[in-house]
Amino acid sequence: MPLQKLQFRPGVNREGTTLANEGGWYDCDKVRFRSGYPEKIGGWAVISYSTFLGYCRSLWNWITLKGFNILGIGTNLKFYVENGGTYYDITPIREINGNTPSAGPPVVNASTITLTANGLVMTVSDSVAESLQINDFVTIAGAGTIGGVNVNGEYQIASVLSGTTYTVTLGTSTTGSNSASTITIAYQINTGFPIYTIGTGWGAGPWAPYLTTTLTNPFATDTATPNTITVTQASHGLTTGQYVFFASISDTSVGGVSNVVLQKSFQVTVLNSSTYTISTVGLLQGTVTTTSASEGGTVVVYYPSATLTASTTRGWGTGFTTGFGFQLRLWSQSNFGEDLLFSPRGGALYLWQPGAGATPAFTTRGQLVSGTYVPSKINEIMVSDSTRITIAFGCDEAGTYGTTVFDPMLVRWTAQESYSDWDPNPVVPTTAGFYRLSHGSEIIGALQTRQEINIWTDAAIYAMQFLGPPYVWGFTLLADNISIASQNAMATAAGVVYWMGVDKFYIYSGRVETLPCSVRTYIFNDINRNQLAQVQAGTNEAYSEVWWFYCSSGSDIVDRYVIFNYLDRVWYYGTMDRTAWLDSALRPFPIAATGGNLLVYHESAVDDGATNPPSPINAYVQSSDFDIGDGHNYGFVWRIIPDITFDGSSTTGSTSVNPAVQFTVRPRQNPGSGYGVSPAPTVKSAQSYAGQTTYTVQEFTEIVYSRIRGRQMAFKISSNTLGTQWQLGVPRIDVRPDGRQ
């Protein structure tokens, strides 16, 4: 028989069986298609080996008037700005000893602040503290030493003992107390899980998905496992990592821990269907003790239903919003000139100004925006590029209309050239105003596109266009009965808008349509729907790609991606932990945040530079099955003629001098059978291939001799060596009929 070309349709197709997709590609990881041919994606290099706290979920890039290239970074714990590889913490201060920073110098009342240390735990009593939450950050200054240990510094709250008393963990053990008059305590904006009381949180009002259960004597402590309490709760339906909230504990003490201390949220470790454990580390100075096998009396437990998974990457400060379960801490950022406006979803509006100095004011924290009727709770903030009007999507009315009710469908905007004047009825008319959308229950996100702003609710998409006075903005319903996965699930490229819904992809190019996807079933059958809020979209303009990052069904952290190449109109996917992405023309390469608290430049290297030293990238693409003829006879492949280029491979330093890939031809008898193991091949090469079914191909490999027999086969190319970059051409196989048995 003549040589048979191994030439397949570009893109990956998982919408049918591997044999039904004959002539196409079926599986891949870290491979893209360029001009119709597969190649390994570019590698990445770290911007800096310095790290930040938390998972980054928002990136924004701009250049100041003095030419400083600055990156805004919002994480689930902090907000930073980056310049020159250094991260500067500009997380706003919520209050200082009971006063907001804008209210002038803090007033220190020594009688209300007491620090008591015992071991590694320090208890802080501050009668003017408000809305304390676990994981909130506090900064203590002027306290001096306790037991010879300097206790000044920044801490995360380990536990909340009451509305005004909490504990933090010291780095060094000490004992004693200090209540000096010079103590100053600053509280950053909330980062922890919400603390609710009965009737206002879980199990009440709009939070119907959250259940209540009354238990009798559920707590048991084990002296063999200090600082752990086992909870017995039949058919609790929880999984490890979820959170429970205990309330109305009738016994005053549980294993030596006050019931007041236990009336808060805990992350659980599930032992079996009826028991789970909670940690009491930081709740009590010392080890938990017990005087009986079971304590606790009657306990009311609030917890998410089994369909809502709360994890350490989800909940924070302001509570819940429709469609998101625990409110994920997502940030929105936008420039007002060289100044930065930013807001956490459900939080207030903040401003950071680089200042007029020779270098930006990196030590200055973001400030709460004050002005006329400024919203105090905003889901997303944006500054219109064409009008210099600041817009809030989903916000409270801030007393403007006689109420401060939060309206998730309300759009409000400022006077032109302002971020602080939100008054829609001033004495002198301005452009400030508002509009309530009608389709849906919550604004999920917004995106500036050409000549308009697109707004997504949980049920529709709108176009917001500038009309000028007196109406200022006009709103047009583009499509109803659509969905969107998250606040960041949309991207625009080449004048077209793409976004991920909850069960398919969409495109808006003048009209809203379903975007055909050859991997739709594969993606949405393996996606964590409880973590859709983490979906992040971005563009890679150099390769005409739109990327989406998401959590697979078995992960609460982003670990997968899917790509649409809008030039070739093909799809491919893979594994990668990227929690934020920004393709900025102000930086040399696309920027991404890894799950390891690093920022990297994509397409800037060959290998995985997030490790030190860099490690190889495991990349592969595998075809669907192809028949030998029509599958009537077995085929015997006795040689392979490679066609591959290694352009772009690195050949210096510690990386591979001789880049190489592996060719694998996987035979099987029928679609329902497994891929068989061929006899040991004989390969014309200086390398030993004894016992292998995978053949190493290098730059000047001309022929690979093989012994492969099957009725149908799949072809795979892979690489996992340092310095290797490749693009596949059209390899050929020499196959001859080999009987029917």
Side-chain angles (χ1 to χ4, degrees), residues 384-543:
S384 168
D385 286 337
S386 60
T387 64
R388 293 261 292 181
I389 293 175
T390 306
I391 309 167
F393 302 93
C395 59
D396 62 19
E397 297 171 348
T400 312
Y401 322 108
T403 177
T404 57
V405 173
F406 179 84
D407 187 344
M409 293 289 285
L410 180 65
V411 181
R412 291 183 60 195
W413 57 88
T414 65
Q416 200 160 9
E417 297 290 336
S418 177
Y419 52 77
S420 59
D421 183 3
W422 297 78
D423 186 357
N425 299 300
V427 175
V428 179
T430 67
T431 59
F434 67 95
Y435 186 87
R436 286 183 174 87
L437 304 181
S438 58
H439 289 247
S441 61
E442 179 186 20
I443 295 174
I444 303 301
L447 179 69
Q448 291 201 65
T449 61
R450 56 178 183 178
Q451 299 180 349
E452 65 184 23
I453 297 172
N454 291 139
I455 307 172
W456 286 261
T457 72
D458 50 5
I461 178 175
Y462 287 82
M464 178 178 177
Q465 295 177 312
F466 184 69
L467 304 179
Y471 301 105
V472 187
W473 294 100
F475 296 82
T476 303
L477 179 66
L478 298 176
D480 201 359
N481 196 27
I482 58 97
S483 64
I484 188 166
S486 76
Q487 173 180 312
N488 299 313
M490 69 289 284
T492 179
V496 179
V497 179
Y498 305 88
W499 74 94
M500 175 190 279
V502 298
D503 54 10
K504 61 181 177 180
F505 294 89
Y506 296 88
I507 182 174
Y508 171 54
S509 58
R511 66 178 182 177
V512 176
E513 300 176 280
T514 296
L515 179 62
C517 178
S518 61
V519 294
R520 173 182 174 271
T521 302
Y522 176 82
I523 298 301
F524 289 102
N525 281 352
D526 186 31
I527 193 170
N528 189 340
R529 297 183 182 276
N530 298 323
Q531 302 289 350
L532 285 178
Q534 293 193 52
V535 172
Q536 175 82 31
T539 61
N540 190 348
E541 290 283 355
Y543 294 92

